[in-house]
Amino acid sequence: MTIVLTYGTFDLLHIGHVNLLRRSRALGSSLVVGLSSDSFNAIKDKRATQSYSDREAVLRAIRYVDDVFPEDSWEQKADDIRRLGADVLVMGSDWRGHFDELSRYCQVRYLPRTENISSSALKASIRSMQ
């Protein structure tokens, strides 16, 4: 069994999220998602439009996702990898190099983002329509 782990806020779910989850799941037999908690988003100066519980429910409904747990800090990733027995950590390519130190625990892969789509861009587009 190959366990793949990824992280994110997954707010305003869009095709870029689905692509990342699909491609991540294709790398193993199980995909586990560390979902940024509302308090962790505040630390990152991010504000999700949906609560943690709503974002978690949406992720759990996606067929590529096998489990979801809260991400509460930057530092927890190494512990999560060990706790879950993760074989692969997947992050978007915009994070390239940021998590290379975790390669001592598992394989680290940076997958390309879907071009021209992000939750931030969607929020800006919605604001401009008002």
Side-chain angles (χ1 to χ4, degrees):
M1 177 183 226
T2 301
I3 299 171
V4 180
L5 174 61
T6 193
Y7 291 86
T9 298
F10 296 96
D11 192 29
L12 295 181
L13 194 75
H14 53 70
I15 191 64
H17 291 133
V18 174
N19 288 340
L20 177 69
L21 295 169
R22 178 182 41 78
R23 291 184 309 218
S24 296
R25 180 62 165 74
L27 296 173
S29 50
S30 178
L31 175 61
V32 181
V33 178
L35 179 62
S36 297
S37 66
D38 295 332
S39 59
F40 185 44
N41 277 334
I43 291 168
K44 298 187 292 183
D45 289 325
K46 287 180 91 173
R47 188 165 169 225
T49 61
Q50 302 173 80
S51 68
Y52 175 88
S53 60
D54 288 351
R55 292 180 287 119
E56 178 185 17
V58 170
L59 277 176
R60 287 186 182 280
I62 296 172
R63 67 180 175 174
Y64 307 116
V65 176
D66 295 292
D67 200 10
V68 179
F69 67 92
E71 177 190 26
D72 294 310
S73 73
W74 292 111
E75 299 79 23
Q76 79 182 65
K77 287 180 177 60
D79 289 338
D80 293 341
I81 291 166
R82 289 190 296 264
R83 175 177 54 83
L84 296 166
D87 300 289
V88 183
L89 170 66
V90 172
M91 299 300 287
S93 58
D94 54 328
W95 288 101
R96 186 171 304 283
H98 285 86
F99 300 104
D100 290 354
E101 74 277 0
L102 296 173
S103 64
R104 66 178 167 224
Y105 304 110
C106 69
Q107 180 185 14
V108 177
R109 298 278 304 267
Y110 298 97
L111 296 182
R113 295 282 186 179
T114 302
E115 288 189 38
N116 303 317
I117 184 76
S118 71
S119 295
S120 298
L122 285 174
K123 289 175 190 177
S125 177
I126 291 166
R127 274 189 230 105
S128 73
M129 287 188 242
Q130 296 176 353

